[in-house]
């Protein structure tokens, strides 16, 4: 009887896996494949040393989850970083910036700090970079902000703060900030080096948030009208995109409402100094004032009882809110080296009486018009009677 040939079976102890990130956006290779596919050596009969080798081959992710060894490092929540190991990030560079949204002033402050390792755009191997900002959707020249240009540099430092005014909390929930790094060319159109997009809903009010991220190529524009069957899974996103586009097209601008208080002049003030004069100035408050940000003060007029100020102060407030506010106007005598003396004051609101009440109601009825009145100062602080 003939013997059948012996077939030797080949075994593979370590198998390499490749994976890609399939989320929307630029396709990037995973930074550490072993973090998702741990490589384990087959146990040997000896145990001991082989077990130690096997445990050392565990991925960092698995080792941190197992509880052995050191504790995992805590992430720094104040600085948002992004890995630049991909080909996209390495070729374009990285950008450092910070965002701060101030709720009581409805302002968004973007501080552009620096960029590192930018892609050379000129024949000399350098670039002339600058940064420009747009609010999406609805990017246009009206919401474009721009830094200065740093010439012949691949690691520019700007340290400039660009501010958007009139940004509501609704804008913070639905808007996206696009930060583009461009190369300036004198004889040709400027070129885009790379960009970063930040969803403003991730920025907490009155909290500074710093970013250090890689620049990316701009994503392809979505086309809701010609999407294929393969895009039906993201139809919800596209419908939201179309709604934002329509809303941005309908918006033609914004109007800032507010109260403009003009301090014109005073006459026949009380003399508070030994020389028979005063050094008067005026303070105004719009109360209630939770943030203590409504205080304004005029300049000081030396040695006069009939000062002329001609100064104006603006409060950003709607007409409906103004009806529940109280404007307090006080006149003081400035004294060097000791407490200032109170000369007199007046309070204007819907709870006032006489001429202050009529002046306040005339202001509320005549929106956009200038209404001037003389007021008699009393020797009581306006807030003392409330």
């Amino acid at each position: 009887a003939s013997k059948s040939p012996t077939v030797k079976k080949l075994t593979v102890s370590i198998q390499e896996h490749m994976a890609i990130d399939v989320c929307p956006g630029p396709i990037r290779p995973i930074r550490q494949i072993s973090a998702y596919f741990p490589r384990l050596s087959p146990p040997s009969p000896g145990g001991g040393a082989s077990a130690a080798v096997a445990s050392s081959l565990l991925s960092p992710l698995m080792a941190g989850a197992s509880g052995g060894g050191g504790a995992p490092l805590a992430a720094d929540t104040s600085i948002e970083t992004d890995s630049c190991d991909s080909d996209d990030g390495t070729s374009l560079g990285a950008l450092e910036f910070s965002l701060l949204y101030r709720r009581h002033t409805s302002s968004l402050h973007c501080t552009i700090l620096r960029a590192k390792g930018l892609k050379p755009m000129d024949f000399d191997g350098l670039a002339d970079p600058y940064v420009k900002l747009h609010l999406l959707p609805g990017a246009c020249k009206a919401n474009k902000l721009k830094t200065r240009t740093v010439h012949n540099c691949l690691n520019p430092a700007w340290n400039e703060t660009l501010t958007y005014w009139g940004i509501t909390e609704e804008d913070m929930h639905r808007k996206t900030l696009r930060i583009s790094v461009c190369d300036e060319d004198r004889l040709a159109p400027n070129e885009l080096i790379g960009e970063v997009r930040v969803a403003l809903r991730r920025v907490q009010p009155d909290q500074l948030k710093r970013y250090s991220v890689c620049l990316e190529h701009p994503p392809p524009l979505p086309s809701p009208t010609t999407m294929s069957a393969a895009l039906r899974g993201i139809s919800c996103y596209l419908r939201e995109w179309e709604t934002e586009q329509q809303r941005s097209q309908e918006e033609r601008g914004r109007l800032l409402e507010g109260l403009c208080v003009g301090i014109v002049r005073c006459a026949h003030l009380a003399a508070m100094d030994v020389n028979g004069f005063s050094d008067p100035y005026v303070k105004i408050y719009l109360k209630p004032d939770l943030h203590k940000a409504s205080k304004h003060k005029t300049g000081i007029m030396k040695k006069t009882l009939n000062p002329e100020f001609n100064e104006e102060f603006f409060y950003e407030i709607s007409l409906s809110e103004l009806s529940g506010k109280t404007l307090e106007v006080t006149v003081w005598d400035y004294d060097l080296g000791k407490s200032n003396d109170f000369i007199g004051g007046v309070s204007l609101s819907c709870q006032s009486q006489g001429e202050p009440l009529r002046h306040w109601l005339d202001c509320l009825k005549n929106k956009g018009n200038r209404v001037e009145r003389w007021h008699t100062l009393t020797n009581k602080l306006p807030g003392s009677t409330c």
Side-chain angles (χ1 to χ4, degrees):
S2 61
K3 295 182 178 180
S4 59
T6 302
V7 179
K8 187 177 180 180
K9 186 177 180 181
L10 298 177
T11 59
V12 180
S13 60
I14 300 177
Q15 182 178 4
E16 295 290 342
H17 298 267
M18 296 300 294
I20 60 173
D21 187 356
V22 294
C23 65
I27 297 178
R28 296 183 174 185
I30 295 177
R31 183 179 181 185
Q32 292 181 339
I33 303 300
S34 61
Y36 299 89
F37 300 95
R39 298 178 293 179
L40 298 176
S41 297
S44 63
S50 298
V53 173
S55 63
S56 66
L57 290 175
L58 279 172
S59 69
L61 183 62
M62 297 294 293
S66 63
L73 297 176
D76 186 0
T77 57
S78 61
I79 302 179
E80 185 166 319
T81 60
D82 188 13
S83 172
C84 289
D85 290 344
S86 68
D87 295 336
D88 206 20
T90 304
S91 61
L92 300 182
L95 180 66
E96 294 182 25
F97 62 95
S98 65
L99 294 176
L100 174 61
Y101 175 65
R102 296 193 180 277
R103 178 181 293 168
H104 68 283
T105 58
S106 300
S107 58
L108 176 64
H109 307 269
C110 179
T111 301
I112 306 298
L113 299 174
R114 64 186 63 85
K116 297 181 180 178
L118 294 180
K119 178 182 177 181
M121 304 297 290
D122 299 335
F123 291 109
D124 56 2
L126 299 174
D128 303 312
Y130 67 92
V131 178
K132 63 179 180 179
L133 309 181
H134 284 102
L135 287 175
L136 303 178
C140 60
K141 290 184 178 180
N143 61 36
K144 172 186 173 182
L145 298 177
K146 177 182 172 183
T147 68
R148 71 181 189 279
T149 301
V150 179
H151 295 281
N152 301 323
C153 186
L154 297 180
N155 299 283
W158 289 281
N159 293 316
E160 288 189 42
T161 299
L162 307 176
T163 303
Y164 283 105
W165 298 97
I167 302 298
T168 64
E169 293 192 45
E170 180 185 359
D171 293 329
M172 295 297 293
H173 284 290
R174 67 183 184 90
K175 292 282 188 178
T176 297
L177 179 65
R178 181 176 68 191
I179 306 176
S180 306
V181 182
C182 303
D183 172 59
E184 183 181 82
D185 290 322
R186 295 182 179 179
L187 303 178
N190 297 339
E191 298 177 282
L192 175 67
I193 300 178
E195 69 173 35
V196 176
R197 300 194 179 197
V198 180
L200 295 182
R201 62 177 177 271
R202 301 168 62 183
V203 180
Q204 298 297 324
D206 302 316
Q207 294 183 13
L208 181 68
K209 187 174 182 64
R210 295 191 61 179
Y211 295 82
S212 179
V213 295
C214 295
L215 297 176
E216 300 178 350
H217 291 291
L221 294 176
S223 180
T225 57
T226 59
M227 68 178 183
S228 62
L231 296 178
R232 291 176 182 173
I234 58 172
S235 59
C236 180
Y237 165 77
L238 295 178
R239 284 197 300 269
E240 182 180 353
W241 181 86
E242 285 183 329
T243 302
E244 296 291 348
Q245 290 293 323
Q246 294 175 359
R247 184 180 299 181
S248 64
Q249 292 173 1
E250 294 171 357
E251 184 174 310
R252 296 294 185 89
R254 296 186 178 182
L255 176 65
L256 179 62
E257 290 186 329
L259 171 66
C260 183
V261 180
I263 305 298
V264 183
R265 63 178 61 87
C266 298
H268 314 302
L269 292 179
M272 307 300 291
D273 297 336
V274 294
N275 58 6
F277 293 98
S278 294
D279 302 319
Y281 67 93
V282 180
K283 290 195 300 186
I284 61 174
Y285 290 89
L286 190 62
K287 296 183 177 182
D289 181 16
L290 300 179
H291 300 284
K292 297 182 178 180
S294 70
K295 174 184 175 182
H296 291 294
K297 185 171 68 173
T298 68
I300 301 172
M301 299 296 165
K302 295 289 186 178
K303 295 183 179 180
T304 179
L305 300 180
N306 300 280
E308 188 169 344
F309 298 99
N310 290 318
E311 296 188 34
E312 292 185 346
F313 306 96
F314 186 79
Y315 291 104
E316 183 179 344
I317 187 173
S318 64
L319 186 63
S320 58
E321 294 175 315
L322 191 59
S323 60
K325 294 287 187 177
T326 297
L327 180 67
E328 293 184 357
V329 183
T330 56
V331 183
W332 298 77
D333 170 56
Y334 174 77
D335 288 322
L336 181 63
K338 61 179 182 178
S339 299
N340 298 332
D341 299 320
F342 174 70
I343 298 178
V346 63
S347 177
L348 288 80
S349 70
C350 292
Q351 287 74 39
S352 300
Q353 297 178 356
E355 190 62 29
L357 175 61
R358 287 191 290 271
H359 192 185
W360 189 252
L361 294 179
D362 287 344
C363 290
L364 297 179
K365 294 177 182 178
N366 297 277
K367 181 180 178 181
N369 296 326
R370 188 185 189 98
V371 182
E372 290 189 1
R373 294 285 191 281
W374 281 95
H375 292 281
T376 302
L377 303 178
T378 62
N379 59 354
K380 291 185 179 181
L381 283 170
S384 62
T385 58
C386 297

